[in-house]
Amino acid sequence: MIGRLRGLLVATRESGIVIDVGGVGYEVAMPTRDLGSLPGVGEEIVVHTHTHVREEAISLYGFGNESDRELFRILLSASGVGPKVAIALLASMSGEEIVRAITSEDPEALTIAPGVGKRGAQKMVIELGPKLAGRETDVVGGTGVGAVRQALEGLGYSTAEINSVVGDLDPSDPIEAQVRTALQRLGRR
């Protein structure tokens, strides 16, 4: 297993990078969120990696920090979630947002990622909730974004409209304040 690479950034691509480590160029797929924070080509870089072995290929997936790599591995443990879906989730949402969505039982939030449908998101919430229960940082008592989402759905807002505003809410605010903020943001659109 290759768990970490340190070397020179040789190239950046739409879906990943090439790192030269001791004369060997490693192709590493990365979430687009991490690609934006990379140093320039020719500079030294450290990437935390996950080696994914299949019958026909060995692939490397890279992350800017260890916690995202660990979350990636947890996401892979859900049935129906492969590396492409896990990377899409980490590209669309921060690690904290993913954990919050799963632990607060808010599968709709996960559907923002390409390749994640309602059923798949519900399976992730059911299967990964217990695994992530100790990781939630901003969720209190299983409420939060899920309750805000329900309130907005009850008022007739679409999933796309709701997804566009709930990611930026402060989870430490009371539910009523979060709903008020979300409604203000929706009113400006």
Side-chain angles (χ1 to χ4, degrees):
M1 294 280 285
I2 299 170
R4 183 172 160 254
L5 292 173
R6 171 183 278 164
L8 294 179
L9 180 61
V10 177
T12 58
R13 300 197 173 118
E14 187 176 307
S15 62
I17 60 173
V18 177
I19 302 173
D20 182 312
V21 180
V24 178
Y26 291 91
E27 290 185 8
V28 182
M30 294 182 76
T32 53
R33 180 182 297 266
D34 286 342
L35 290 174
S37 62
L38 293 175
V41 172
E43 293 186 42
E44 185 173 84
I45 184 172
V46 175
V47 178
H48 302 277
T49 60
H50 170 81
T51 308
H52 191 76
V53 180
R54 293 183 314 204
E55 196 170 299
E56 68 277 355
I58 298 174
S59 304
L60 286 174
Y61 294 89
F63 308 92
N65 58 60
E66 288 184 62
S67 63
D68 280 352
R69 178 185 63 189
E70 294 310 311
L71 180 57
F72 176 81
R73 289 175 173 168
I74 291 169
L75 290 170
L76 289 178
S77 71
S79 60
V81 176
K84 287 183 182 180
V85 169
I87 283 284
L89 276 164
L90 285 162
S92 303
M93 305 169 74
S94 71
E96 293 82 16
E97 291 170 328
I98 294 169
V99 171
R100 186 179 315 123
I102 292 171
T103 57
S104 66
E105 299 179 6
D106 183 16
E108 284 293 320
L110 300 172
T111 61
I112 195 170
V116 179
K118 286 185 179 185
R119 283 193 177 158
Q122 289 170 340
K123 283 173 65 175
M124 277 189 266
V125 166
I126 291 167
E127 292 180 27
L128 301 178
K131 294 178 182 180
L132 295 173
R135 290 183 172 230
E136 70 264 13
T137 55
D138 298 322
V139 180
V140 179
T143 60
V145 177
V148 173
R149 184 177 296 283
Q150 277 186 318
L152 295 175
E153 286 173 349
L155 293 170
Y157 288 98
S158 71
T159 300
E161 291 172 313
I162 294 168
N163 285 343
S164 72
V165 296
V166 296
D168 297 331
L169 296 176
D170 184 353
S172 64
D173 286 346
I175 301 291
E176 299 80 21
Q178 291 183 52
V179 171
R180 197 174 315 117
T181 302
L183 287 170
Q184 288 170 348
R185 290 178 184 165
L186 286 166
R188 288 187 216 135
R189 294 174 186 221

